[in-house]
Amino acid sequence: MSNNLNYRVIIVGGGVIGLTTACTLLKEYVSTDNLQLTIISEALSPDTTGDISAGFWQPYGLELSDQRMLKWARYSYEIFMEEYFSTKAARAGVIQLTSYTMMKQEEEEQQQQQQKHVDNNDISIDFPFLALVRHYRRLNNTELRIFDHLAPVTGFVMSSVVVEVRRYLPELHRFLEKDSRVKFIRKKILSLDDLKGQADVVINCTGLGARYLVGDLAVRPARGQVIRVNAPWIKSQYYIDMKEEGCGYIIPQSDTVVLGGTFQMDDWKTTPTENDTCHIRRMCAKILPALDDVKDGKVQVGLRPYREGGVRLEHELTSDGMNVIHCYGHSGAGVTLSWGCAKDVVDIVKSLLPIDESPTSELPIHEQLWRLI
C-alpha cells in the first residue's frame, strides 16, 4: 500500500520489549511503504538488562493472577516453541528444556498434602501459568526421591524454553536494520517532550527508565545478580525455594549455565557483591552438588523493571496532543511477556494509524514476525 500519508512511529527502548514491538509493527504494516519507524535507545544488545538475564520462560516477579499476564505469556510461549522447531533455533539461542521447581515443605504442609491426595492438575491452581505449557505435572514420590538431599520438598516439572537474549536480540536487530523503513538512533531520551512533532505515535518501552522518563514512581528496581559458569553436563533447569534460606536457580544456555539469583527490591547497585555470589553458589550447589567444584564464572548484575500494579500497557493522549503507548514494568518476565505485549501494543497503534487491510500470509506467525538474515 502506498499513499501520501506517512506513518511515523518512534519506539523508545531497544531491549526485548522494544525490538519485539518493532518486529510486530513491521508484520502488521508489511505493505505500508510510507511507514517510518525509528528506534531510539541509550543501550542496545549486548548492553541491555535482558542480555544479563537467562531468558527463561516463566512469569517471574509478577502477580500470577493477572489475566493479562497469562494471555501475553501464552502467546510468547507459542512463538518461542515454534522458533525452537525452526531454522532459527541455533542462531537465535532458543532452547527447549525440562524445568524442575522445588519448594521446601514444613511437616504440617506434608501432612495436609497427604490428606488431600491431590492429583497432578491441582498444582496449576497455585501456578496458573502451568496451564499454558505443553506438558507439566506434579513431581511424584519416585521423582522427589531424586531430590532427597533437599528433602522435604514438593514441586512440579514442566516443558519450557530458554531464549538467550544475547543471541536473540542481535538477530532481531539484524532483521530490522535490513528494512529501509527502520532507523536506529543510539541516544538517551530525557523527556517525551523531546519527541514532540516528530512522530504520530510514540511507544514507551523504557523499562526501569520509565520511572524518570514519565515520572512513574511505581517502577522500582529489583536487583538480580547471576553467575555464568561452564557446566556442560547440565541440560535441565532447576529452581528451589528454601523459604527462610532463600532461593536458587540453574538455567542452561548453549555454551554456559546461569546460576542465580537475587530479587532485591529498591537496590540500585549494579556491581556484584561477594555475599550474593556466595549465596548463589551455596543454593545452586544444594540442588546439584557437583557445582561446588566449579570455581570459575562471570558475575553480572541487572536491574529488573518491577512495577507496583503490574505491567503498564495503555494508550495516553498527553495534554499537548501526543499519542503515547506505554509498555513497561515487566519485572523479571520481559522475555516471557515480550511477543504477547508487542501484539497488544501494535493493536493500539492500528487503532490510531488505520491501514486499509490486514496482511495475509501462509507463513507461520514467527516467520511473519522476523526472519534470519
Side-chain angles (χ1 to χ4, degrees), residues 293-314:
D293 295 327
V294 178
K295 303 303 181 185
D296 65 333
K298 180 179 181 180
V299 185
Q300 297 175 290
V301 174
L303 302 181
R304 305 177 184 92
Y306 177 86
R307 182 174 184 271
E308 295 284 352
V311 175
R312 183 185 184 190
L313 198 163
E314 63 181 1

Side-chain angles (χ1 to χ4, degrees), residues 3-289:
N3 55 41
N4 295 322
L5 178 66
N6 286 328
Y7 293 84
R8 302 174 305 159
V9 179
I10 292 177
I11 296 175
V12 186
V16 68
I17 301 300
L19 295 198
T20 52
T21 299
C23 290
T24 305
L25 195 68
L26 293 190
K27 169 186 174 293
E28 293 301 314
Y29 288 80
V30 65
S31 301
T32 307
D33 300 332
N34 296 337
L35 175 67
Q36 298 174 3
L37 173 58
T38 304
I39 301 164
I40 305 176
S41 185
E42 180 182 16
L44 295 169
S45 185
D47 301 319
T48 74
T49 300
D51 286 285
I52 296 171
S53 75
F56 177 64
W57 183 97
Q58 180 173 318
Y60 182 67
L62 296 165
E63 175 54 59
L64 295 183
S65 62
D66 187 338
Q67 292 302 309
R68 302 175 309 152
M69 178 273 292
L70 295 176
K71 180 184 75 168
W72 296 329
R74 179 194 297 275
Y75 185 79
S76 301
Y77 181 86
E78 293 301 326
I79 295 296
F80 294 136
M81 290 297 283
E82 284 183 9
E83 291 180 335
Y84 175 72
F85 289 100
S86 79
T87 57
K88 294 179 179 180
R91 276 173 53 182
V94 182
I95 306 166
Q96 181 183 316
L97 43 61
T98 300
S99 165
Y100 294 90
T101 295
M102 287 82 65
M103 297 148 287
K104 183 179 179 181
Q105 271 194 316
E106 304 295 349
E107 184 175 346
E108 183 179 339
E109 292 174 320
Q110 281 183 290
Q111 293 173 351
Q112 289 176 350
Q113 183 169 320
Q114 290 168 356
Q115 291 169 359
K116 287 180 182 178
H117 298 292
V118 294
D119 63 32
N120 288 340
N121 294 326
D122 281 343
I123 200 165
S124 67
I125 297 172
D126 297 321
F127 302 94
F129 60 82
L130 288 175
L132 311 180
V133 304
R134 302 284 173 88
H135 308 287
Y136 77 91
R137 66 178 183 279
R138 182 185 294 274
L139 291 171
N140 60 39
N141 289 334
T142 301
E143 292 168 312
L144 286 172
R145 289 192 194 104
I146 299 172
F147 303 106
D148 269 352
H149 58 293
L150 301 172
V153 294
T154 185
F156 60 85
V157 58
M158 71 174 182
S159 175
S160 190
V161 64
V162 160
V163 179
E164 295 182 88
V165 177
R166 60 200 175 102
R167 296 178 185 270
Y168 199 78
L169 283 190
E171 294 298 334
L172 298 189
H173 190 285
R174 191 173 294 115
F175 168 75
L176 290 164
E177 264 192 329
K178 287 294 184 181
D179 194 306
S180 61
R181 301 170 297 169
V182 179
K183 178 170 65 173
F184 280 88
I185 298 176
R186 192 154 186 173
K187 66 180 284 190
K188 183 174 184 177
I189 299 297
L190 299 176
S191 169
L192 291 180
D193 289 340
D194 298 343
L195 305 175
K196 196 180 303 180
Q198 298 182 36
D200 303 301
V201 176
V202 174
I203 305 173
N204 172 19
C205 302
T206 52
L208 189 60
R211 179 179 175 92
Y212 303 105
L213 184 66
V214 295
D216 188 346
L217 299 184
V219 180
R220 302 156 54 196
R223 182 180 177 275
Q225 181 167 318
V226 299
I227 311 170
R228 290 183 182 272
V229 302
N230 180 34
W233 68 88
I234 299 175
K235 305 299 182 185
S236 298
Q237 187 268 358
Y238 301 89
Y239 174 89
I240 186 166
D241 181 355
M242 297 297 284
K243 297 194 174 178
E244 294 83 2
E245 196 174 351
C247 303
Y249 58 77
I250 301 167
I251 304 175
Q253 314 276 277
S254 57
D255 56 359
T256 61
V257 174
V258 176
L259 310 181
T262 64
F263 197 92
Q264 296 158 335
M265 291 300 306
D266 301 315
D267 189 335
W268 290 90
K269 293 194 299 291
T270 56
T271 54
T273 71
E274 188 60 30
N275 282 344
D276 288 337
T277 298
C278 291
H279 167 77
I280 291 167
R281 289 191 179 278
R282 182 175 70 253
M283 295 304 297
C284 292
K286 274 183 175 292
I287 305 170
L288 297 179

